[in-house]
Amino acid sequence: MTNVQTLLKEHRTFPPVPAETLGFAKWHVGSLEEYKKLHARSIQNPEAFWAEEAQKLAWFQHWDHVLSWDAPDAKWFVNGKLNACYNCVDRHVQSGHGDSCALVWEGEPMAPRTSHPTAASKYASEPEIKRVTYRELQEQTSRVANALKHLGVKKGDVVTIYMPMVPELVIAILACARIGAAHSVIFGGFAPHAISERAMDAHSRVIITADGGYRRGEVVPLQKNVEEAVNQLANHGHIINHVLVLKRTGHEPPSTRFASGTTPANVKATSIHPPTKFHWWHDLVARVSDACPCEVMDSEDMLFLLYTSGSTGKPKGIQHTTGGYLTFVNTTARLTFNLVPDTSQMFWCSADIGWITGHSYVLYGLLMNRVPTLLFEGAPNFPDNGRFWDIIARHKVTQFYTAPTAIRTFMKWGTEWPEKYDLSSLRVLGTVGEPINPEAWIWYHENIGRKRCPIVDTYWQTETGGHVVTPLPGATPTKPGSCTLPMLGIDAAIVNEQGEELGANQGGLFCIRKPWPGMLRGVYGNRERFISNYWGRLKDPKTGTPFYFSADGARRDEDGYFWVQGRVDDVIKVSGHLLGTMEVESALVSHPAVAEAAVVGVPHEIKGSGIVAFVTLKGSWATKNPGRQPDDALRAELTSHVAKEVGALAKPDQIRFAEGLPKTRSGKIMRRLLRDVAAGVEKITQDTTTLEDFSVVAKLRADEE
Ligand code: WT7
């Protein structure tokens, strides 16, 4: 959570600058007055606004009407027909831009650039770079689409994708869209359990992966993780029929080697009938045709599922559909980053495609707008801390989009790293993922934007599909720490529990009062969660129509600017990534030594939130039962257990063993209290009248000493 005190003291504003000073011919929205006029009009008549925006896409068949709204169910561009891959790829080939650059990829491996005489490297001094045109994308997506059909994938199926940041990831996603299969991308940093849990929830029968990916000079064993997931799934009676494997690293250990179309030794073939078949991407793709028509999809057909953490242990499959999502992402990408369709720009969003930021602003928003998008496989500190700035300088990146947690890390590494590089190509800087602290904003502005570039602090969620509150770079004066004003067509407000809009600087709940095209259409297979999470809490006090609730607390200042204060539910933001405290708790209790666990977020300088886990053990060390001892060895074991169960980003920063956890009389763990204990708050001001045994808290505190 952002420090409200700092925000209140923050009075600086940064006015927009003329477009020409940054190399743009014009701003799409060029003044605050123009923005206000457009926004007011877009809210008075959202259907007219969004219809005009939807016209910018290519439709096979025009819609009958713009919106059907039976809250909370929205249908946008009803009966319109289109295809996402066609809009990202084929359309540009047909309009004569087949040979233009669609994406530029840079692999991670390279030798250090800076003078480390001792840093002899096994890697070449120049990184591996690929440029892919729209025509090549068309050919490749068609081939992979045919390969998927060959594996039995049909329109409406869900294909699970677990890959490194390579061009083939974009190709795999677009190939699914091409044949009308929904994609469900799983972040490559997640553990096998995350893959099996999501594939099962999505009823997915085909997984696309790679033998490995590079991360900080190491090979991440993606295929091995998939093999484990396939086994876990088989134990639950869920059979994965086929796994398509891209050869990226060529480092697979003997146990995972396979001949295309067979089953690797690690996969328990005997228990599965018929056994899961693994296929090499290069092998299958070479054997199919390079022609595959784009399937005609209904506007409301599912384009993808993307799993996000919630306040229960089970991730939610957020459903996005075709016409509305594409329209919303096309518009927001164009306006927020002032995109102009040509190759005079090079857009780089450093997020992994496994997150919504990557879906919307590495892939769909850029390809649809016909602006080259840059894909980087690796970490910001490989081979050294200057890698990001080196990439910006070499590829002449014009718009750069990253997260506050990354910016805070760059601050820690020091200005000497960006200072070495020519960053003059930059025009617009973006941030996303959590509130940005004003110090980090100013650092970004001065050291990366060199005081020239506007910063767009974009507030949104997996569920919103795209930006819902953000500055427009040519129109909105910015204030460090504020995501400023609503996107065109978004009716955002801060309300109280009764749904009444609050006055200036009154903290309340962030909601969106009218439907928008990019909104989620459901939580896959869980209607109840869709309603209760997003639509059950707030409603229009006059009409009773539900409002969309984001689960964030926020306020608006006297200029109407939004200041997001953070989540009001049991999810925490670790390095910009959402984690349900329950997910980490479930992982901890799955360890044989653990009886009970409670996880809370605490402020963390770099990560935004750090994770503190309170753990009670089975048996009791007090009564010398045979339980495990609460020592550092067990701490280390539990930490790697969580990494193995959930993924590295869920590792607790601190594990505190306790004899008991504070609970209410009805047995609920009092997390707010634990949050205070974890943050070292001096005096407990929380209401503890319902606490069952107050001595538990006293003991937790005593353990600190
Ligand atoms: C949550 C959504 C949207 C892409 C990345 C995260 C927080 C996101 C901001 C911002 C303050 C922000 C909110 C939101 N958040 N952007 N600019 N300022 N908070 O997507 O994983 O679905 O997380 O991220 O808490 O609810 P996500």
Side-chain angles (χ1 to χ4, degrees), residues 357 432-435 457-462 552 567 573 578:
T357 310
V432 59
E434 59 181 315
D457 173 356
T458 60
Y459 167 79
W460 58 297
Q461 309 178 292
T462 306
D552 284 301
R567 306 284 304 192
K573 277 256 148 179
L578 276 189

Side-chain angles (χ1 to χ4, degrees), residues 362-381:
V362 174
L363 203 159
Y364 286 114
L366 280 294
L367 293 178
M368 273 191 291
N369 273 292
R370 195 161 50 77
V371 168
T373 182
L374 193 141
L375 226 70
F376 174 51
E377 181 184 36
N381 57 350

Side-chain angles (χ1 to χ4, degrees), residues 357-410:
T357 310
H359 280 55
S360 299
Y361 303 109
V362 174
L363 203 159
Y364 286 114
L366 280 294
L367 293 178
M368 273 191 291
N369 273 292
R370 195 161 50 77
V371 168
T373 182
L374 193 141
L375 226 70
F376 174 51
E377 181 184 36
N381 57 350
F382 192 88
D384 62 41
N385 295 349
R387 184 64 184 269
F388 271 26
W389 321 127
D390 188 30
I391 290 175
I392 291 175
R394 278 186 288 111
H395 295 282
K396 301 202 168 28
V397 170
T398 46
Q399 288 98 337
F400 175 58
Y401 193 24
T402 194
T405 183
I407 298 167
R408 290 190 295 264
T409 307
F410 300 142

Side-chain angles (χ1 to χ4, degrees), residues 585 595-599 613-616 656-664 667-670 673-674 691-693 696-697 700:
E585 287 164 7
E596 220 178 9
V599 164
F614 293 89
V615 171
T616 63
R656 295 174 58 165
F657 295 110
E659 278 181 60
L661 298 175
K663 290 189 187 153
T664 63
K668 272 188 99 178
I669 292 175
M670 298 187 81
L673 210 65
L674 288 176
L691 181 63
E692 231 237 301
D693 174 10
V696 162
V697 180
L700 285 173

Side-chain angles (χ1 to χ4, degrees), residues 72-73 305-306 316-321 463 519-527 529-531 534-535:
D73 298 302
L305 275 181
L306 188 58
K316 302 175 274 193
I318 303 300
Q319 262 174 290
H320 281 288
T321 60
E463 293 85 345
M519 65 195 266
L520 78 165
R521 299 297 195 274
V523 171
Y524 195 66
N526 203 332
R527 175 82 182 165
R529 243 179 137 184
F530 172 59
I531 310 258
Y534 305 106
W535 307 97

